[in-house]
Amino acid sequence: MKASYLWAAPEVNPINRKARSVPILNVFNVYGRVFFFSWWGFMVAFWAWYTFPPLVSIIPLALSSHTHTLENILTRTLKLTHTIKANLHLNATEVANSNIVSLCATLLIRLVAGPACDRFGPRWVFAGVLFIGSIPLGLAPLVHDAQGLYISRFFIGILGGAFVPCQVWSTGFFDKNIVGTANALTGGWGNAGGGITYFIMPAVFDSFVARGYSDGVAWRLTFIVPLIITIATGVAMLLLCPDTPTGKWSERHLRAQQNLESHGGSSGVIVDVPGNITDKASSVGGDSIRDVEREKEKEKEKRTQQQEDQNSNNWDHEAAISKRDMVETAKGEVVQKPSWGAMWRVLTSPQTLFHVVTYMCSFGGELAINSVLGSYYAKNFPQLGQTDASNWAAMFGFLNVVTRPLGGAAADALYRATGRNAWGKKAWINACGCATGALLIAIGQADPHHLPTMVGLVALMAVFLEAGNGANFALIPHVHPHANGVLSGITGAGGNLGGVLFAVVFRFTDAGTNYAKAFWIIGILTIALNLLFCWVRPIPSGQVGGH
């Protein structure tokens, strides 16, 4: 890895034009621009999804460690919390129910968004999620009671589905050697939106109050800010970014075939695309076979010249890959239009079940632990008070900005170190899962009442738990690459399902008061499920592409 990779135009796969490095700092480059909109779009969606700050636990997901700043933020958030609860006449049960409604909605949207990405392309699905989600976001100020809140939060939950096109779009622009890092960065940075809402929304609320608006009006006006940014992000995504590195989503098969032929690959059976490329010339009527072949040769020379012009202009630089890799890329790694039969084969494969279960443990565990960690700190350390307990709980979510990318980068490093063997990535997922489970058991059994011990164990557990999220979506691009959207969607939904199931464990363990016992129960489940599926091959036997 070189520092220049952060801004230089990347080398690309000559067939699918996927980049082999991530120009994070270069938004003028098409790959850097798509990377930016992948994480930015997801961050904006996540922020808008959590725009109702009182209806989420008052524990920031990703905040600064400066105590004074946190105290100010929490004070403003508490004020906004009490204002909305009083204005809508809500009780604690209704708030908890609205959280569950929102998670269930996101689960459903992620299931639908996956196949939609394969059908229409992730850029259009991404923008569509932002546009559709902005409708209930804009109507949220009209809520006046608990029933209206449930309806509003359900449809705002559409925005949580943005995670799927975020990952599928990123996968479409970055090659297998670096896709784990790219996906983990876009996912990890996007998650910061859940913390940004604690900075922005109370500040916007205070600004409206300072302008003379009543509290009941001010909290409703705060929705204007995320609404405008959500719509603007969707528009910019459509205007400034392409569907794929090769152009339009509808032409992805054609471009792969053309690139393969221009690099000396065989034609006819690699990619089934419309037009002259796979058609045989007819000798009855029309042009002669010789004329058709001459036209094909001219078109091939024209494409080669265009490619040379692109390289001379430093638009991209082709990486050297073998002919076998070229053919496999063209034949097995171009996303296919989903059919019910193909989706069923993907959904019922052991590899899909492995990803759903392991992501259910990692991301599901993260969601559930986030919801109780502040209360756990307050119970074991009552001398902290609510503010300091929230400060320490915030660390768990804040680490996600670093640890999730670390998990993806480590998976890519293992893939390269093992000679491009996907077993390296899969072993890392299982290792993260088992380490997470062991640390959850340790926390539950120790039930620490010594603050440094508690903080240390939670931080170490967070490293492996959140790295497991990044590792999971580092391997997914290798598995069923022709149906990446379908697999990404079902896996993302599995994470939400895990959040609901583990939340049930916390709620019904000694009437929701024994956090330590719930921790070790979840730890045992995490280890058991990871070991149960450790035998599954990382890539289906006989799969073309993805290696």
Side-chain angles (χ1 to χ4, degrees):
M1 298 294 291
K2 300 177 182 177
S4 61
Y5 288 166
L6 297 176
W7 60 81
E11 284 191 341
V12 301
N13 184 306
I15 304 304
N16 55 26
R17 317 303 295 173
K18 291 184 180 183
R20 298 177 68 82
S21 61
V22 185
I24 296 173
L25 304 179
N26 187 355
V27 295
F28 297 102
N29 180 273
V30 65
Y31 298 98
R33 193 159 59 251
V34 168
F35 172 80
F36 169 78
F37 274 103
S38 291
W39 72 262
W40 172 262
F42 180 42
M43 186 187 72
V44 168
F46 210 115
W47 164 29
W49 181 23
Y50 278 88
T51 301
F52 272 108
L55 309 178
V56 186
S57 178
I58 308 173
I59 300 167
L61 300 180
L63 300 178
S64 166
S65 60
H66 298 293
T67 302
H68 180 68
T69 303
L70 278 168
E71 288 176 350
N72 290 338
I73 293 168
L74 286 167
T75 299
R76 293 199 303 268
T77 304
L78 281 168
K79 180 182 177 182
L80 183 53
T81 295
H82 296 315
T83 298
I84 300 178
K85 281 187 175 180
N87 194 257
L88 299 183
H89 310 291
L90 301 174
N91 57 44
T93 300
E94 289 168 336
V95 171
N97 289 341
S98 73
N99 288 331
I100 295 173
V101 166
S102 180
L103 278 177
C104 291
T106 301
L107 188 156
L108 295 174
I109 292 300
R110 290 184 176 189
L111 286 174
V112 174
C117 285
D118 290 347
R119 175 64 179 86
F120 303 105
R123 180 177 67 116
W124 285 99
V125 174
F126 206 158
V129 168
L130 295 178
F131 291 147
I132 296 172
S134 68
I135 297 173
L137 184 65
L139 296 175
L142 302 180
V143 170
H144 288 283
D145 54 25
Q147 184 177 1
L149 174 65
Y150 296 157
I151 296 172
S152 178
R153 292 215 72 196
F154 179 86
F155 287 103
I156 289 177
I158 291 171
L159 291 163
F163 171 75
V164 174
C166 161
Q167 297 293 281
V168 176
W169 202 21
S170 176
T171 296
F173 273 79
F174 298 97
D175 213 6
K176 295 185 292 293
N177 69 308
I178 199 67
V179 70
T181 303
N183 284 354
L185 284 168
T186 55
W189 292 359
N191 277 345
I196 285 175
T197 189
Y198 285 90
F199 284 97
I200 297 178
M201 301 314 292
V204 174
F205 171 77
D206 285 345
S207 71
F208 282 120
V209 171
R211 291 173 183 269
Y213 293 97
S214 67
D215 289 353
V217 174
W219 79 258
R220 299 175 190 277
L221 292 176
T222 59
F223 284 82
I224 294 174
V225 176
L227 176 64
I228 292 173
I229 295 178
T230 299
I231 294 174
T233 298
V235 172
M237 191 180 290
L238 293 178
L239 293 178
L240 301 177
C241 300
D243 290 330
T244 74
T246 58
K248 295 181 180 179
W249 183 255
S250 60
E251 298 176 351
R252 63 194 184 280
H253 298 288
L254 178 65
R255 300 307 177 198
Q257 180 69 29
Q258 289 176 339
N259 290 337
L260 181 64
E261 287 189 0
S262 67
H263 288 81
S266 59
S267 63
V269 296
I270 303 303
V271 183
D272 185 17
V273 296
N276 294 343
I277 292 178
T278 57
D279 290 346
K280 292 184 178 180
S282 172
S283 59
V284 181
D287 297 332
S288 67
I289 293 178
R290 181 176 300 175
D291 290 336
V292 172
E293 292 295 328
R294 189 179 297 114
E295 279 297 315
K296 282 188 176 183
E297 189 64 26
K298 288 181 180 179
E299 290 176 5
K300 183 176 179 180
E301 291 174 0
K302 183 179 179 180
R303 290 195 300 269
T304 302
Q305 183 61 47
Q306 290 174 342
Q307 184 63 56
E308 291 174 355
D309 291 341
Q310 288 175 342
N311 289 338
S312 65
N313 291 327
N314 292 321
W315 185 80
D316 54 31
H317 311 280
E318 290 186 354
I321 65 174
S322 68
K323 281 289 180 62
R324 178 182 177 182
D325 286 342
M326 289 184 185
V327 172
E328 286 197 357
T329 298
K331 188 174 183 180
E333 297 182 16
V334 180
V335 174
Q336 304 293 318
K337 181 180 177 180
S339 65
W340 289 110
M343 285 194 293
W344 177 252
R345 286 190 292 273
V346 170
L347 295 177
T348 55
S349 75
Q351 287 72 24
T352 299
L353 190 57
F354 166 80
H355 283 288
V356 171
V357 168
T358 52
Y359 199 63
M360 183 179 71
C361 291
S362 59
F363 187 67
E366 181 184 343
L367 289 175
I369 291 168
N370 255 328
S371 68
V372 304
L373 193 55
S375 299
Y376 192 10
Y377 271 108
K379 178 185 177 183
N380 280 18
F381 309 99
Q383 70 277 12
L384 289 177
Q386 181 172 316
T387 298
D388 286 340
S390 296
N391 289 352
W392 288 113
M395 178 193 65
F396 179 78
F398 178 73
L399 284 172
N400 196 58
V401 178
V402 177
T403 51
R404 183 165 186 146
L406 178 65
D412 284 341
L414 287 169
Y415 174 69
R416 294 190 294 267
T418 54
R420 295 171 57 199
N421 192 330
W423 274 104
K425 290 189 175 184
K426 182 177 180 297
W428 175 234
I429 295 173
N430 286 128
C432 287
C434 290
T436 298
L439 288 162
L440 286 170
I441 293 172
I443 294 170
Q445 289 294 310
D447 194 17
H449 285 72
H450 179 243
L451 186 59
T453 302
M454 180 72 160
V455 171
L457 285 173
V458 169
L460 188 59
M461 180 270 294
V463 170
F464 289 102
L465 177 74
E466 294 160 4
N469 294 332
N472 210 304
F473 275 85
L475 178 58
I476 280 177
H478 297 262
V479 184
H480 304 300
H482 64 282
N484 181 254
V486 174
L487 181 56
S488 297
I490 186 65
T491 302
N496 279 61
L497 177 62
V500 173
L501 295 177
F502 289 151
V504 170
V505 173
F506 278 113
R507 185 167 182 176
F508 291 100
T509 301
D510 295 343
T513 60
N514 196 336
Y515 301 114
K517 184 177 180 180
F519 262 71
W520 67 254
I521 290 174
I522 293 174
I524 290 174
L525 290 173
T526 299
I527 292 176
L529 289 171
N530 272 271
L531 293 179
L532 183 62
F533 290 94
C534 67
W535 59 271
V536 176
R537 296 170 57 91
I539 297 175
S541 179
Q543 175 183 290
V544 177
H547 297 277

